[in-house]
Amino acid sequence: MSRARADEEEYWHSSKFRAFTFDDEDDELSQLKESKRAVNSLRDIVDDDDDDLERVSWSGEPVGSISWSIKETASSSTSSLEGRDSSLQKGSSSYAAFPKQVSSYSLSSLFKGELYLSLSALSDTGVKNYAPELRRPKAEYKDYSSDWSPKDTVRRMQRGKVCSLERFRSLQDKLVLLDEAVAGHDGNVITAVLIFLKRTLRREILFRELEVRQVALCHLIHFLKETGEQKLLLDLLRLCFFSLSLQLSQYREHLNIQDVEKRREFLKGCIGLPFSAEDTSHIQDHYTLLERQIIIEANDRHLETAGQSEIFRKYPRKASILNMPLVTTLFYSCFYHYTEAEGTFSSPTNLKKTFKIPDKQYVLTALAARAKLRAWDDVDALFTTKNWLGYTKKKAPIGFHRVVEILQRNNAPVQVLQEYVRLVEDVETRLNLATKYKCHDVVIETYRDLKDRIQLTAYKCKVERGSADEEKINSILNNMVRNAY
């Protein structure tokens, strides 16, 4: 009796199965290790040293032969898993059958190393149960690792992949992640990153960093409105309004600085203030313009004092150009430096290119400046264009009716006015302008083209009697009568 108990104790203590523990080993890594140990135990059963022993199946044919493989493939595959496990433990020669596409190989040859089949090449579910995959591709485990950079994380989020953001722990990494999300122009990704930052950063730090990231700030404001987080939204709006007011008041201080050099240095420091991208661009242009004005003012003052320039002798300067608006600076440049090359700071084309002045604004300003100087050739060249065939024509981006008004305001001769009144496309507008500015030739030619005898007869009373205009009207009326018969 005691001997039987001792054998029983030895059996249970020598069991290769482990007792139940509360350790959490149900993760994927433990399952992979268990699968690997199971396959290794199967290799121990089929020892390489037993090659001299011939195994036979129930039908009497050697195991591993071609005929045995064909019969095994056609045999029933519905035997239970427990029967296969027990037969393997007892050294039985009955092995699990493979699908038809690999039926020419036996299970023993697989475990002996004569054949290697990857799990991806086997589509049958039964094979997956008996030959589990021991290792997955590395790409599937990267979601749980720290290999993804902020840029890669944003790209995966844009493709709808689940990514853990908890690995970004430092403030610098979180801000880089936010910048990458903004650069990706994906609102969903930006909002997801902002939710993560809102949860992991203190409010003061988050608000401070969002002040210089206007796109992310707008996304957070919209998100807080949608979720109804009114308290946080009010705190954010209050901070943004206070910060903007502080920046504007600091920028406005340049108006109190009289010394132009100190004002220039102050504006240079204002470029670094946390304004929006558009406002920062305006401040940069302000600083560049003042710097350009300082150079032009120093050079022109020297030319005017030395009397070396004819235009400064004929049209002396009435005021300094310093601290003037951009349009005034452009007018000054078109007035005094219109013919200068583009490479100089005072050139009108240089100003147009540097500050991206629209064509309409440039044409209006240049026309006013050159018309004031009565430089009609420059006015004509301003509107003359040449096509790729070499033909020239006049084209005005502001409309020729406005050109006529500016020319008349600067006391342009009637011949110059008539040339541009003729270019007005709308007939009614053309007649009104011609009548208003007494461009008789244009009125007479327009009524002649319209074949309107009544209007020609009525307009005959408005021209000077015995003048060339009256003779022209009489000639047109006589031709109309002659052609009528």
Side-chain angles (χ1 to χ4, degrees):
M1 182 69 179
S2 61
R3 182 180 180 82
R5 173 170 293 182
D7 293 341
E8 184 178 356
E9 291 291 336
E10 181 181 358
Y11 169 77
W12 286 108
H13 285 294
S14 63
S15 175
K16 62 181 179 180
F17 298 100
R18 295 183 300 130
F20 174 78
T21 61
F22 287 96
D23 295 337
D24 186 11
E25 294 186 357
D26 293 336
D27 56 352
E28 295 183 1
L29 184 60
S30 300
Q31 294 178 7
L32 295 174
K33 291 181 178 179
E34 288 295 331
S35 301
K36 185 174 182 181
R37 284 196 293 268
V39 173
N40 291 335
S41 65
L42 292 178
R43 291 179 178 175
D44 294 336
I45 295 174
V46 188
D47 194 2
D48 293 339
D49 297 333
D50 294 338
D51 290 342
D52 56 340
L53 298 179
E54 181 179 357
R55 292 190 177 90
V56 296
S57 64
W58 290 104
S59 62
E61 295 176 351
V63 175
S65 62
I66 297 178
S67 60
W68 176 85
S69 299
I70 296 175
K71 290 183 179 181
E72 283 296 316
T73 303
S75 63
S76 172
S77 60
T78 58
S79 56
S80 63
L81 181 59
E82 297 178 358
R84 287 191 177 90
D85 292 341
S86 61
S87 64
L88 289 173
Q89 293 176 6
K90 294 177 182 180
S92 175
S93 60
S94 59
Y95 292 90
F98 278 92
K100 292 183 179 181
Q101 58 267 29
V102 293
S103 61
S104 61
Y105 302 100
S106 63
L107 187 60
S108 60
S109 63
L110 172 65
F111 291 141
K112 288 179 181 180
E114 298 176 4
L115 173 68
Y116 177 78
L117 295 175
S118 64
L119 184 60
S120 60
L122 302 176
S123 59
D124 187 70
T125 56
V127 178
K128 291 185 180 180
N129 292 333
Y130 305 127
E133 184 182 1
L134 300 183
R135 184 171 60 183
R136 294 184 179 179
K138 290 184 179 181
E140 297 186 15
Y141 292 100
K142 284 190 176 182
D143 286 342
Y144 308 100
S145 66
S146 59
D147 294 339
W148 296 114
S149 64
K151 188 173 184 179
D152 294 334
T153 302
V154 170
R155 287 180 178 177
R156 289 178 63 83
M157 293 175 68
Q158 289 176 340
R159 295 196 297 266
K161 301 253 181 172
V162 178
C163 297
S164 176
L165 304 181
E166 301 298 332
R167 63 168 296 269
F168 300 103
R169 297 182 179 180
S170 67
L171 176 61
Q172 182 178 0
D173 290 342
K174 293 177 181 179
L175 295 179
V176 171
L177 179 65
L178 178 60
D179 293 336
E180 290 292 343
V182 173
H185 305 289
D186 192 321
N188 293 331
V189 177
I190 296 174
T191 304
V193 174
L194 286 173
I195 294 174
F196 169 68
L197 297 184
K198 185 172 72 73
R199 181 170 53 86
T200 57
L201 290 179
R202 287 191 303 173
R203 180 180 302 180
E204 296 80 6
I205 298 177
L206 178 62
F207 289 176
R208 181 192 67 197
E209 297 298 337
L210 289 180
E211 287 182 18
V212 294
R213 295 171 173 84
Q214 296 296 319
V215 176
L217 178 62
C218 293
H219 276 270
L220 182 59
I221 291 175
H222 181 73
F223 173 74
L224 295 177
K225 289 180 180 179
E226 293 291 330
T227 56
E229 300 183 50
Q230 297 297 330
K231 187 177 184 304
L232 184 60
L233 177 61
L234 290 176
D235 293 342
L236 180 60
L237 293 177
R238 190 180 300 112
L239 178 64
C240 292
F241 178 77
F242 173 76
S243 176
L244 181 60
S245 300
L246 182 63
Q247 296 163 18
L248 290 176
S249 62
Q250 185 173 355
Y251 171 67
R252 202 178 290 117
E253 282 296 321
H254 78 276
L255 298 175
N256 301 326
I257 302 176
Q258 300 299 327
D259 186 80
V260 65
E261 290 292 339
K262 292 182 179 179
R263 178 179 290 194
R264 182 176 65 87
E265 291 299 324
F266 181 83
L267 288 175
K268 185 177 181 180
C270 290
I271 298 175
L273 293 177
F275 286 103
S276 64
E278 184 178 1
D279 293 338
T280 302
S281 177
H282 291 325
I283 297 176
Q284 177 68 54
D285 289 342
H286 189 177
Y287 166 75
T288 305
L289 178 63
L290 181 58
E291 191 175 36
R292 185 75 58 88
Q293 289 173 347
I294 293 174
I295 297 174
I296 296 174
E297 176 67 21
N299 184 53
D300 290 356
R301 187 186 299 115
H302 173 72
L303 291 176
E304 187 178 21
T305 304
Q308 299 176 357
S309 178
E310 181 181 354
I311 190 170
F312 285 110
R313 292 197 304 268
K314 191 174 181 180
Y315 301 97
R317 298 190 310 156
K318 297 181 180 179
S320 171
I321 195 179
L322 295 175
N323 301 317
M324 292 296 177
L326 177 59
V327 176
T328 305
T329 306
L330 179 62
F331 181 89
Y332 177 92
S333 179
C334 290
F335 193 92
Y336 289 105
H337 305 280
Y338 189 73
T339 58
E340 289 186 6
E342 185 178 344
T344 60
F345 285 148
S346 55
S347 170
T349 53
N350 190 304
L351 288 173
K352 178 179 182 295
K353 183 177 180 180
T354 301
F355 298 99
K356 299 180 176 61
I357 300 175
D359 290 338
K360 290 184 178 181
Q361 184 65 60
Y362 177 79
V363 169
L364 277 172
T365 308
L367 174 61
R370 304 317 294 174
K372 191 174 186 65
L373 288 172
R374 306 182 68 82
W376 310 122
D377 291 338
D378 293 338
V379 172
D380 185 71
L382 189 63
F383 301 106
T384 302
T385 60
K386 183 181 295 185
N387 59 15
W388 64 279
L389 291 175
Y391 297 104
T392 60
K393 67 175 184 178
K394 285 186 169 56
K395 182 179 179 181
I398 59 176
F400 283 107
H401 62 285
R402 298 192 65 184
V403 175
V404 172
E405 293 175 356
I406 295 174
L407 291 176
Q408 194 277 333
R409 198 180 306 133
N410 287 277
N411 301 320
V414 177
Q415 293 79 8
V416 176
L417 279 178
Q418 288 186 153
E419 181 179 357
Y420 289 96
V421 170
R422 286 190 179 97
L423 297 175
V424 178
E425 295 183 0
D426 185 70
V427 176
E428 184 177 356
T429 305
R430 188 195 314 154
L431 286 172
N432 291 335
L433 290 174
T435 304
K436 180 179 180 180
Y437 300 131
K438 297 181 179 180
C439 298
H440 301 307
D441 286 345
V442 178
V443 177
I444 295 171
E445 292 171 0
T446 304
Y447 285 142
R448 180 197 61 190
D449 296 337
L450 294 175
K451 297 180 181 180
D452 194 337
R453 294 180 58 194
I454 299 175
Q455 293 295 337
L456 269 175
T457 305
Y459 193 75
K460 181 180 177 181
C461 301
K462 297 181 180 180
V463 299
E464 186 178 354
R465 185 166 301 212
S467 64
D469 295 326
E470 184 181 26
E471 293 179 2
K472 188 174 183 179
I473 294 175
N474 291 330
S475 176
I476 294 174
L477 290 174
N478 293 333
N479 289 333
M480 286 183 178
V481 173
R482 194 178 302 112
N483 293 332
Y485 294 99

